[in-house]
Amino acid sequence: MNFLSKLSHFRVLKSMILFITGLLISVIIFPYDSIAQGDLLITPRRVVFEGTKRSMDLNLANTGKDTATYAISLMQIRMKEDGGFETITYPDPGQRFADRFIRFFPRSVTLGPNEAQAVKIQLIRSNELEPGEYRSHFYFRSIPKISPLGEKEKAKDTTTISVMLTPVFGITIPAIIRVGGSTARVAFSDLRFEMANDTIPRFTLVFNRSGNMSVFGDITVDHISTLGKITRVGMANGVAVYTPNTKRRFQFNLNMVPGVDFRTGTLRVIYTASSDVKPVRLAEAELALN
């Protein structure tokens, strides 16, 4: 292989590496409505200490066909206004980390196919906590398998440039400590509807959060016809606005339901927090269609 061919081959490989690296970062730090990533299933999907609660279990389950090992750690994350996430080292103004007040074990788990294990989580140094909210994120990182020692290497073609990429999958869930009463409030603004590509109904809105705590809940969107008929046309579960953010822009596609005319009527959006007793309505707004 001549020099120009090697250079061209190297550039292709470099582009592949950059693409896959970006993909893996998005898998690791971006939130998911589901609590499963790869073959790892985690319940519940968030850790919250409030009131007199001092300990809890996280249940991990391997839904795959191979044995898998996961390293567990705590990391710090910033939520951006568009709902994206990025890792940080120092808290933003108004943000407090929870990691120094949380103890957990084990620090890694190895699960066989269809095997489950609990991770014990405890709240510590609670006497040092001031009123408000503290947040970090548990990070579950898949540890790639390593070839056993003594295994013979396959013969390689030394005339080509090659690279081995080992995907590393991860999932994060929030760990939140709440001290004292919540003054959190949320309202909608900037509601907008459009037909993307003239075929996909798309709904956009802005969350406006205030107060001392984060908010998280489920969104429902109903279409109300001019005759008063109500039809569910969209849902989004597990939507959060974390402190210290005061705004979050949110966009999602609605469902094309037979009999629903998105050119007329009204769209009603409701944001509801989960509750063991009765769901709590956090925000509601309507958008007239024309």
Side-chain angles (χ1 to χ4, degrees):
M1 180 181 291
N2 59 36
F3 174 76
L4 291 178
S5 297
K6 288 184 178 180
L7 180 61
S8 177
H9 193 184
F10 176 76
R11 286 173 176 170
V12 172
L13 289 173
K14 182 179 179 181
S15 298
M16 290 174 58
I17 293 171
L18 290 175
F19 171 78
I20 294 176
T21 299
L23 179 63
L24 294 182
I25 291 174
S26 68
V27 168
I28 290 171
I29 68 175
F30 277 76
Y32 295 85
D33 291 337
S34 171
I35 52 175
Q37 174 61 46
D39 295 324
L40 179 64
L41 179 67
I42 304 174
T43 53
R45 59 182 169 185
R46 63 176 59 91
V47 173
V48 180
F49 288 107
E50 56 186 340
T52 59
K53 192 173 186 178
R54 292 294 180 270
S55 65
M56 66 174 293
D57 289 351
L58 269 182
N59 298 302
L60 312 184
N62 178 9
T63 61
K65 298 180 180 180
D66 298 317
T67 297
T69 299
Y70 296 90
I72 309 170
S73 60
L74 281 164
M75 65 188 302
Q76 318 305 339
I77 287 179
R78 169 192 295 130
M79 170 177 273
K80 298 187 290 185
E81 190 172 305
D82 64 359
F85 281 70
E86 59 187 7
T87 58
I88 57 176
T89 302
Y90 301 100
D92 293 329
Q95 182 178 8
R96 290 183 284 193
F97 295 155
D99 57 335
R100 66 183 297 264
F101 301 104
I102 291 176
R103 178 168 57 197
F104 64 94
F105 54 94
R107 299 280 174 152
S108 66
V109 296
T110 299
L111 302 174
N114 300 314
E115 187 177 6
Q117 181 173 335
V119 175
K120 304 290 184 180
I121 305 174
Q122 295 179 336
L123 179 66
I124 60 175
R125 301 190 183 97
S126 57
N127 61 311
E128 300 178 18
L129 292 166
E130 298 179 355
E133 182 178 286
Y134 300 74
R135 175 174 56 87
S136 295
H137 289 249
F138 276 103
Y139 173 34
F140 301 84
R141 178 175 61 87
S142 173
I143 299 178
K145 293 181 180 179
I146 300 175
S147 299
L149 292 175
E151 184 174 303
K152 293 183 179 180
E153 292 188 6
K154 296 181 180 179
K156 297 180 181 178
D157 183 356
T158 58
T159 64
T160 63
I161 300 174
S162 63
V163 62
M164 183 178 69
L165 298 176
T166 303
V168 177
F169 296 100
I171 183 172
T172 66
I173 64 170
I176 295 173
I177 303 171
R178 291 177 162 179
V179 182
S182 173
T183 62
R185 298 289 184 273
V186 62
F188 293 133
S189 67
D190 303 289
L191 275 67
R192 185 162 56 91
F193 173 81
E194 64 178 347
M195 291 296 292
N197 300 322
D198 295 325
T199 58
I200 303 173
R202 182 168 296 165
F203 193 67
T204 304
L205 55 84
V206 173
F207 288 85
N208 299 277
R209 187 202 63 83
S210 61
N212 62 344
M213 305 281 185
S214 301
V215 293
F216 35 83
D218 304 328
I219 293 178
T220 58
V221 180
D222 293 327
H223 177 268
I224 306 173
S225 73
T226 54
L227 298 177
K229 181 181 179 181
I230 300 175
T231 306
R232 179 64 45 84
V233 293
M235 292 183 64
N237 295 329
V239 181
V241 185
Y242 292 122
T243 58
N245 296 51
T246 57
K247 290 183 179 294
R248 176 180 176 181
R249 292 181 282 109
F250 190 77
Q251 174 179 283
F252 67 116
N253 296 335
L254 303 181
N255 300 317
M256 293 291 291
V257 180
V260 171
D261 185 357
F262 285 109
R263 295 170 297 180
T264 63
T266 302
L267 290 177
R268 180 172 63 197
V269 55
I270 298 175
Y271 185 47
T272 306
S274 301
S275 171
D276 294 334
V277 181
K278 183 180 179 180
V280 178
R281 185 168 298 187
L282 299 176
E284 179 178 349
E286 293 187 353
L287 174 67
L289 302 172
N290 49 48

